């Protein structure tokens, strides 16, 4: 896990594990009902914690639950369904009759308000998110007021604190927002995140250490590499963007994906790769109703842990593992790319390679083309530059 802006998840066979890195960590211990079998006396990397939570032979989600991923008892007869409404009703019935459950991860986002006055705006925004947004969004938001007046800072805390649940998500930084030095906490060195037990043996907390893990280090290198780093336009846009949006404090990195790609490229350098995954995560269901946890540490072996995929980063990792991206950074070769890559949304992929006529309902609605808007396919094949 890393502390930066990047949401990445698990490809069905690629993004199995991620790591988190944090900048300027200040989070309190997180309560977890999780079995203490996952974390022993020594801390473990977030990557290893999630791997155990999912795949531990006795306590892991996919080991305990025989039906964690649903399988239809019979094929859906699309041509007998009237349209989308009938299809959705049929799918809902399948969910309610099954034991399938899915878990979406923390959605971290941060709001900055400069010159917050009495705190009325902050309270109003947080009230709205609490009442109208998905629960996970409210539970994992951070609202920061940058206020130069110490007296107003105290009033803001009192105003927002009228709703007790807001207090843990709201803080005031008493400083001048026009002073660049005040934003330096956003660019402090990366740290890697581990998971350890507290002394009560039931509470799990995150532990921050200097960056040493080689997979995390390589993933940061790929993420930060800019193919157009020599162009004036790219540098200018990057500079403007960094001023408007300072670097975030946490980032999930697909180190499991990187490890697998490195192995595949070493063993099968001329492979053709097809991968599919979510680009964003929908609400989840259990017994027909939406269910998810507020934090990955709350997983008890009864939930999947997965992340939406950044397909641009996936493509960059693919080129890195082929050796081409590393050569470009070192300027050791003018050789062209070793992989030809293409990312398609699912409807485009199915129109080209599937059989959409077989999944059309009576009124023309086609779930294969009209649904799955939050998924894409990634195709990668070798070029003549691969020896």
């Amino acid at each position: 896990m890393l502390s930066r802006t990047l949401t990445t998840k698990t490809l069905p066979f690629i993004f199995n594990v991620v790591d988190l890195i944090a900048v300027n960590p200040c989070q309190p211990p997180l309560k977890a009902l999780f079995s203490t079998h996952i974390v022993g006396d020594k801390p473990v990397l977030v990557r290893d914690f999630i791997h155990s939570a999912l795949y531990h032979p006795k306590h892991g989600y996919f080991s305990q639950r025989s039906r964690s991923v649903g399988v239809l008892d019979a094929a859906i007869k699309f041509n007998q369904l009237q349209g989308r409404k009938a299809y959705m009703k049929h799918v809902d019935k399948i969910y309610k009759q099954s034991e399938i459950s899915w878990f979406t991860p923390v959605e971290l986002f941060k709001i900055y308000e400069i010159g917050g006055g009495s705190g009325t705006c902050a309270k109003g925004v947080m009230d709205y998110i609490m009442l109208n947004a998905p629960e996970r969004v409210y539970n994992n938001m951070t609202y920061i007021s940058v206020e130069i007046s110490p007296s107003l800072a105290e009033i803001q805390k009192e105003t927002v604190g009228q709703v007790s649940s807001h207090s843990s998500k709201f803080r005031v930084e008493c400083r001048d927002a026009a002073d660049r030095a005040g934003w330096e906490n956003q660019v402090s060195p990366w740290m890697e995140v581990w998971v350890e037990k507290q002394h009560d043996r039931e509470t799990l907390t995150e532990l921050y250490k200097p960056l040493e893990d080689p997979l995390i280090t390589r993933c940061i290198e790929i993420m930060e590499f800019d193919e157009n780093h020599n162009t004036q336009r790219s540098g200018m846009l990057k500079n403007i963007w960094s001023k408007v949006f300072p670097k975030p404090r946490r980032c999930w990195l697909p180190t499991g994906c990187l490890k697998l790609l490195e192995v595949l490229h070493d063993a099968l350098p001329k492979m053709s790769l097809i991968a599919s995954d979510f680009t964003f995560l929908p609400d989840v269901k259990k017994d027909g109703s939406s269910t998810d946890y507020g934090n990955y540490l709350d997983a008890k072996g009864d939930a999947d842990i997965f992340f939406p995929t950044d397909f641009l980063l996936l493509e960059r990792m693919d080129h890195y593992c082929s050796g081409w991206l590393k050569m470009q950074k070192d300027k050791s070769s003018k050789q062209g790319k070793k992989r030809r890559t293409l990312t398609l949304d699912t409807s485009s992929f199915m129109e080209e390679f599937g059989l959409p006529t077989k999944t059309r309902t009576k009124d023309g609605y086609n779930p294969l083309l009209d649904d799955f808007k939050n998924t894409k396919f990634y195709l990668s094949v070798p070029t003549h530059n691969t020896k």
Side-chain angles (χ1 to χ4, degrees):
M1 174 160 113
L2 225 149
S3 181
R4 211 148 160 189
T5 338
L6 191 50
T7 46
T8 32
K9 173 214 158 183
T10 71
L11 285 173
F13 64 99
I14 284 211
F15 272 6
N16 291 338
V17 186
V18 296
D19 262 311
L20 175 67
I21 300 182
V23 175
N24 226 3
C26 58
Q27 290 200 339
L30 296 163
K31 276 285 184 181
L33 301 176
F34 201 95
S35 167
T36 53
H37 295 292
I38 298 299
V39 181
D41 294 330
K42 295 182 179 180
V44 297
L45 271 169
V46 170
R47 174 176 71 236
D48 300 322
F49 172 81
I50 292 179
H51 189 276
S52 295
L54 296 179
Y55 308 116
H56 189 283
K58 292 184 179 179
H59 313 291
Y61 170 72
F62 288 104
S63 300
Q64 292 191 84
R65 302 180 65 82
S66 60
R67 298 193 64 188
S68 57
V69 179
V71 179
L72 293 176
D73 295 329
I76 298 175
K77 298 179 180 179
F78 295 93
N79 57 3
Q80 294 182 11
L81 298 174
Q82 181 60 39
R84 180 179 176 82
K85 185 176 180 180
Y87 169 74
M88 296 305 295
K89 184 177 180 180
H90 182 75
V91 171
D92 187 60
K93 180 180 178 181
I94 293 173
Y95 266 112
K96 289 178 178 178
Q97 291 176 345
S98 71
E99 298 177 0
I100 302 167
S101 62
W102 293 102
F103 167 77
T104 54
V106 175
E107 293 185 15
L108 295 169
F109 81 99
K110 186 186 300 182
I111 297 174
Y112 280 94
E113 181 182 4
I114 299 174
S118 64
T120 303
C121 176
K123 181 179 179 296
V125 171
M126 297 184 75
D127 286 347
Y128 181 86
I129 294 174
M130 178 181 68
L131 296 174
N132 296 281
E135 185 178 359
R136 64 179 178 276
V137 175
Y138 174 72
N139 287 341
N140 297 285
M141 70 174 292
T142 301
Y143 197 112
I144 302 171
S145 172
V146 181
E147 177 54 62
I148 196 170
S149 167
S151 58
L152 285 177
E154 292 303 317
I155 294 174
Q156 291 172 21
K157 293 177 184 178
E158 293 176 4
T159 301
V160 175
Q162 292 173 12
V163 179
S164 59
S165 60
H166 289 352
S167 297
S168 62
K169 303 166 182 62
F170 177 81
R171 76 170 186 266
V172 181
E173 295 181 359
C174 196
R175 59 183 175 85
D176 184 355
D179 183 357
R180 181 64 180 87
W183 300 95
E184 288 303 318
N185 63 326
Q186 297 295 320
V187 292
S188 54
W190 290 119
M191 300 184 75
E192 60 190 38
V193 184
W194 296 59
V195 178
E196 68 173 350
K197 288 180 183 177
Q198 292 292 81
H199 296 301
D200 60 14
R201 312 298 292 174
E202 293 183 359
T203 305
L204 298 178
T205 185
E206 291 178 341
L207 173 66
Y208 301 87
K209 295 184 177 183
L211 182 58
E212 293 182 350
D213 182 73
L215 269 175
I216 297 178
T217 303
R218 290 199 296 276
C219 211
I220 294 175
E221 178 185 356
I222 298 168
M223 187 176 68
E224 293 184 337
F225 181 77
D226 182 359
E227 288 188 51
N228 300 314
H229 62 283
N230 291 322
T231 66
Q232 181 179 357
R233 180 174 178 272
S234 175
M236 179 180 67
L237 289 176
K238 185 175 181 181
N239 187 43
I240 294 173
W241 194 258
S242 65
K243 289 180 179 178
V244 177
F245 296 104
K247 291 181 180 179
R249 293 168 47 211
R250 293 165 72 88
C251 179
W252 296 91
L253 292 181
T255 51
C257 172
L258 176 59
K259 182 178 180 181
L260 178 56
L261 283 175
E262 288 179 339
V263 171
L264 291 177
H265 275 282
D266 183 61
L268 305 167
K270 295 184 178 181
M271 67 176 173
S272 295
L273 174 67
I274 302 175
S276 177
D277 199 17
F278 295 105
T279 54
F280 65 91
L281 299 177
D283 288 335
V284 294
K285 286 192 172 186
K286 181 176 182 180
D287 300 327
S289 61
S290 295
T291 306
D292 69 358
Y293 286 111
N295 192 281
Y296 73 97
L297 292 178
D298 293 335
K300 301 182 291 295
D302 61 344
D304 195 1
I305 305 176
F306 58 104
F307 304 80
T309 292
D310 182 332
F311 279 83
L312 290 176
L313 179 59
L314 174 61
E315 180 183 38
R316 192 175 296 184
M317 287 194 297
D318 191 18
H319 287 309
Y320 178 91
C321 293
S322 74
W324 176 79
L325 203 61
K326 285 179 283 189
M327 290 190 298
Q328 295 300 302
K329 182 176 180 180
D330 299 336
K331 297 182 180 180
S332 59
S333 173
K334 298 293 184 181
Q335 188 179 29
K337 293 181 179 179
K338 294 187 176 184
R339 309 289 297 178
R340 185 186 302 115
T341 61
L342 179 65
T343 299
L344 296 171
D345 58 58
T346 294
S347 61
S348 298
F349 179 86
M350 292 302 176
E351 283 182 334
E352 181 69 22
F353 303 107
L355 297 172
T357 58
K358 300 293 185 181
T359 56
R360 187 178 295 119
T361 60
K362 293 179 181 179
D363 67 356
Y365 164 69
N366 194 325
L368 196 64
L369 304 181
D370 300 330
D371 290 345
F372 307 106
K373 300 295 185 182
N374 63 324
T375 60
K376 289 185 178 181
F377 277 80
Y378 175 75
L379 313 178
S380 173
V381 297
T383 67
H384 64 276
N385 294 312
T386 303
K387 295 180 179 181

